[in-house]
Amino acid sequence: LARMEAVGEGGSEALDVAIAVEDALKALPAPDGLRVEIDVEGELAAQGDRVLLRQVLIGLLQNAFKNTTPPGDVAVRARRADSEVLIEVSDSGSGIAPEEVDRIFERFYRGSGSLEQEGFGLGLAIAKRMVDVMGGRIGVESEEGAGSTFWVRLPAAKPAATPVA
């Protein structure tokens, strides 16, 4: 929470998105039977906080891994989209029911199929708050039974001369 408050007071920096993705995948390796594809545009820099972005990515990957049964696919893609950086975490998992998509970023909300899984329904609400304080947006596109794509949009930054994340 203190870290989020610091970022909210202008504590953001230019960060290397490829390094943030790599750090998140090192912290949370894919379970056996899941293939992970990484497609990050070269020299991609976003304005934000490297620790917060890493935590957001870990949370999105954790959800993707939890909701995708082997054999399955998870992909992390990142590219510049106009004046923003678009980061996507996609999975070939169970997807989200249409009537639940608008509620998944609410605190304590757990989807109807999550009762047998661990958690308190806070992960996506916290991720949303982290993205908000970095000046970004977070959302999801999902088709029940066909997987989900969570996306994060952060302000683009000019790449630094040396990696900063």
Side-chain angles (χ1 to χ4, degrees):
L1 292 174
R3 182 120 188 139
M4 284 192 287
E5 288 173 10
V7 172
E9 295 170 2
S12 69
E13 61 191 357
L15 58 94
D16 185 311
V17 175
I19 292 173
V21 169
E22 184 180 311
D23 286 350
L25 285 166
K26 281 182 186 174
L28 188 70
D32 290 339
L34 295 185
R35 291 175 301 279
V36 177
E37 173 194 335
I38 302 168
D39 182 13
V40 178
E41 188 177 290
E43 297 186 24
L44 187 61
Q47 194 69 31
D49 180 274
R50 63 181 178 79
V51 174
L52 294 183
L53 180 56
R54 178 182 179 271
Q55 287 305 117
V56 168
L57 291 172
I58 287 172
L60 295 179
L61 286 166
Q62 191 171 33
N63 284 347
F65 294 159
K66 182 169 52 173
N67 292 297
T68 305
T69 53
D73 299 300
V74 172
V76 181
R77 293 180 291 278
R79 62 180 169 81
R80 182 181 284 272
D82 297 321
S83 61
E84 296 179 313
V85 170
L86 172 64
I87 305 167
E88 297 175 318
V89 177
S90 299
D91 65 62
S92 61
S94 55
I96 303 164
E99 63 274 9
E100 295 180 350
V101 168
D102 291 336
R103 299 198 57 205
I104 61 171
F105 293 102
E106 294 175 12
R107 286 189 297 168
F108 304 110
Y109 183 76
R110 298 178 67 208
S112 59
S114 67
L115 296 178
E116 59 277 353
Q117 296 179 354
E118 293 181 17
F120 294 102
L122 290 170
L124 289 173
I126 292 170
K128 181 178 183 340
R129 181 67 183 130
M130 289 181 191
V131 171
D132 287 347
V133 300
M134 289 189 286
R137 295 176 290 143
I138 187 170
V140 64
E141 296 170 4
S142 185
E143 183 179 336
E144 194 170 15
S148 302
T149 298
F150 283 83
W151 53 264
V152 173
R153 290 181 175 271
L154 294 173
K158 292 184 180 179
T162 57
V164 292

